[in-house]
Amino acid sequence: SENIIVNIQNDVITIEYVPEEIDENVEADFDMSMRLLSDGKLGDARFILEDLAFRSPNDPNVLYNLGMCYSDLGDLDVAIDILKMCVKIIPLYSNAYVALGVAYGRQDKHKEAAIQFRKGIELDKNNSYAYSNLASILGKMGDNFNALKYMKLAYDIDAFDPHTLYGLGLIYQILGDQVNATVFYKKLVELGTPQELVDFAKDSLRNIAVRIVKEKGFRADAMFYCLSALEKFEKMKKEDIQKITFEIGIKGTEGIDINNSSKRYTLKSMQGDFSGLQLISYMYAGFKIIAPEQNIGIDLSREYNAAKQMFGNKGIKWN
């Protein structure tokens, strides 16, 4: 007869399905479907999983992955039916409840989604995806304080999950805690993947920086010049940055007017013509890279730090 073996060890549940008759091709076909899912080839994976479900209708792993496949393809009613079959066969399958909750969430059935995520947590206290998905759905329901609570629990389990990092940044930003929002958005940028979430994090960091500029009233033009310097210096070797910085410093001994934007200056080490404030901002950013302890006699620390937030601390490890 068919057997489903559930192992529970250290609060982690694993499931093994043993069919009545061994089909030597089932494992190979299942592995192929997993590779296709990993490559984003959902249609091809679904075709194989549907065949596997016909051959092994009580295999919870096949049903789970087929249900998720339908969910990702947007066929949510079918996904929900398949995942319900899965949890009926294995009532202890935490991830299946999470997948079921995701499908309900995609239908904007938030309360039903939250019920499924809570079931997933009850079955596996270490299921970070159950916590983070519950947090996301609570956020959509306007319960941001509990959303933060569950997203923190997800982070405690897996501190490198990009969706959790983004979720924490977003919730903190919504709650008005720009400092913590910046911390988690930067962690996501440093992680570097997936690109879509990284781009969202960078946009959020820029929005936070602009808000800080407006609130504190310092020079936005200097901040954007510092940002321009960081973007330009990212592509340069340190010795080239040093040449530009020192040349501006020497020119500064001759006098640079930072309050007259119509007066322009040129450099031998960098093409273009620049305002006085632009040169001083470039020099300030340059010294922060090559000699961060150097006092150049002008304080653009707030503008520079805001520019670093907008830049996202990518590339060169700025001081």
Side-chain angles (χ1 to χ4, degrees):
S1 62
E2 296 175 340
N3 293 300
I4 296 171
I5 303 170
V6 178
N7 298 307
I8 305 175
Q9 186 174 8
N10 297 327
D11 292 330
V12 177
I13 298 173
T14 58
I15 297 167
E16 181 181 358
Y17 171 76
V18 182
E20 181 179 0
E21 296 181 2
I22 302 298
D23 184 341
E24 294 180 357
N25 294 321
V26 166
E27 186 175 354
D29 289 347
F30 184 77
D31 290 342
M32 174 60 76
S33 71
M34 294 300 97
R35 287 194 294 271
L36 290 168
L37 285 176
S38 179
D39 292 339
K41 298 177 180 178
L42 300 180
D44 293 337
R46 183 187 65 182
F47 179 80
I48 296 175
L49 287 167
E50 285 175 336
D51 180 61
L52 287 170
F54 178 77
R55 289 149 62 188
S56 302
N58 292 322
D59 186 335
N61 286 320
V62 169
L63 294 175
Y64 167 70
N65 285 284
L66 180 58
M68 286 206 306
C69 191
Y70 270 109
S71 180
D72 289 342
L73 287 167
D75 202 340
L76 299 174
D77 288 334
V78 176
I80 288 170
D81 286 343
I82 293 172
L83 290 166
K84 281 182 176 179
M85 290 170 55
C86 183
V87 297
K88 185 176 181 179
I89 294 169
I90 299 291
L92 299 178
Y93 201 167
S94 175
N95 282 340
Y97 286 104
V98 176
L100 187 54
V102 169
Y104 277 123
R106 287 170 171 170
Q107 288 187 329
D108 292 327
K109 296 179 179 177
H110 297 154
K111 289 183 180 179
E112 186 59 46
I115 290 171
Q116 304 305 321
F117 295 140
R118 291 184 189 278
K119 286 181 181 178
I121 291 170
E122 288 173 9
L123 291 169
D124 183 359
K125 297 296 191 294
N126 291 315
N127 192 333
S128 63
Y129 298 111
Y131 288 110
S132 61
N133 278 285
L134 177 58
S136 295
I137 214 73
L138 289 173
K140 290 179 181 179
M141 295 169 70
D143 188 356
N144 289 309
F145 290 101
N146 277 315
L148 179 59
K149 168 189 170 182
Y150 285 106
M151 200 65 81
K152 282 181 175 179
L153 290 170
Y155 180 77
D156 289 341
I157 297 167
D158 185 357
F160 296 97
D161 176 62
H163 292 89
T164 299
L165 293 174
Y166 179 74
L168 279 169
L170 180 61
I171 295 169
Y172 275 121
Q173 188 176 5
I174 291 171
L175 292 173
D177 187 342
Q178 309 303 330
V179 173
N180 273 313
T182 298
V183 167
F184 289 102
Y185 282 142
K186 283 184 176 179
K187 286 180 182 290
L188 177 53
V189 171
E190 290 168 4
L191 188 64
T193 187
Q195 191 59 50
E196 183 180 11
L197 285 184
V198 171
D199 290 340
F200 282 143
K202 288 178 180 177
D203 289 340
S204 298
L205 285 169
R206 292 187 184 96
N207 292 334
I208 290 172
V210 169
R211 179 175 177 177
I212 291 172
V213 169
K214 291 179 179 178
E215 289 177 350
K216 295 192 175 181
F218 49 81
R219 296 195 66 159
D221 48 359
M223 181 198 68
F224 284 109
Y225 287 145
C226 286
L227 175 61
S228 174
L230 292 175
E231 292 174 338
K232 185 179 289 290
F233 291 162
E234 184 194 20
K235 303 177 180 68
M236 293 184 177
K237 296 179 180 179
K238 217 164 186 178
E239 52 262 37
D240 294 326
I241 299 172
Q242 182 174 313
K243 287 179 184 177
I244 295 170
T245 304
F246 284 179
E247 185 180 357
I248 298 173
I250 293 171
K251 192 175 286 289
T253 63
E254 303 167 0
I256 294 178
D257 187 352
I258 65 171
N259 296 312
N260 183 4
S261 60
S262 63
K263 185 172 176 57
R264 313 299 292 180
Y265 301 87
T266 59
L267 298 173
K268 294 179 180 178
S269 56
M270 186 168 60
Q271 291 183 345
D273 64 292
F274 313 91
S275 70
L277 181 60
Q278 188 174 5
L279 284 184
I280 295 301
S281 300
Y282 271 57
M283 182 176 69
Y284 189 93
F287 272 114
K288 283 296 179 183
I289 297 165
I290 63 173
E293 302 304 321
Q294 179 74 33
N295 184 357
I296 67 171
I298 186 169
D299 184 11
L300 293 177
S301 57
R302 292 185 300 169
E303 290 82 354
Y304 177 75
N305 288 332
K308 281 207 302 180
Q309 286 189 349
M310 295 181 72
F311 184 69
N313 278 349
K314 63 181 180 178
I316 299 172
K317 298 298 182 183
W318 309 112
N319 293 299

